[in-house]
Amino acid sequence: MAKLEKKVTGDFSEILHRIEDGIVSGSVSANLEESSDFCMGDVRCSVRVFERFSFMGNNRVSLSVTLFGNGDTIYISAITSGGSQAVFFKLNTFGEEAFLDELREIL
């Protein structure tokens, strides 16, 4: 697993849209698997789960992205999973790191 946590400022909807478009268009095999959105007062939370094929690991890798905030302060947590063909431990995390690097570039 690889993880990225970051605090950003800006428009919540715009940042969410940029992440969705950037991840899906960043790889021919990337797609948005599922999403969830909810609000409580002025606080918004959006969760997106993406998946793509990792050529390095010859398998599929997922990326879960959560945005949480109110106003123009947004906290982002992103966690990758998959990326290994081993049974008991991870041999190859290149695909996970590469997927997370795409998000880093978008942010």
Side-chain angles (χ1 to χ4, degrees), residues 7-54:
K7 178 180 165 184
V8 299
T9 56
D11 180 78
F12 192 101
S13 296
E14 182 180 310
I15 292 169
L16 179 60
H17 184 70
R18 192 172 10 155
I19 290 170
E20 287 176 341
D21 285 350
I23 295 295
V24 172
S25 67
S27 171
V28 75
S29 67
N31 59 342
L32 177 61
E33 289 291 315
E34 192 57 81
S35 63
S36 177
D37 299 285
F38 53 94
C39 298
M40 186 175 265
D42 293 338
V43 179
R44 289 180 65 182
C45 183
S46 292
V47 179
R48 299 294 184 267
V49 179
F50 302 93
E51 191 176 77
R52 77 172 193 182
F53 183 75
S54 170

Side-chain angles (χ1 to χ4, degrees), residues 73-100:
T73 302
I74 303 156
Y75 296 90
I76 299 173
S77 177
I79 301 171
T80 60
S81 183
S84 180
Q85 295 177 327
V87 175
F88 297 109
F89 54 91
K90 288 199 174 201
L91 294 175
N92 174 358
T93 60
F94 296 118
E96 292 178 28
E97 289 292 341
F99 210 0
L100 204 55

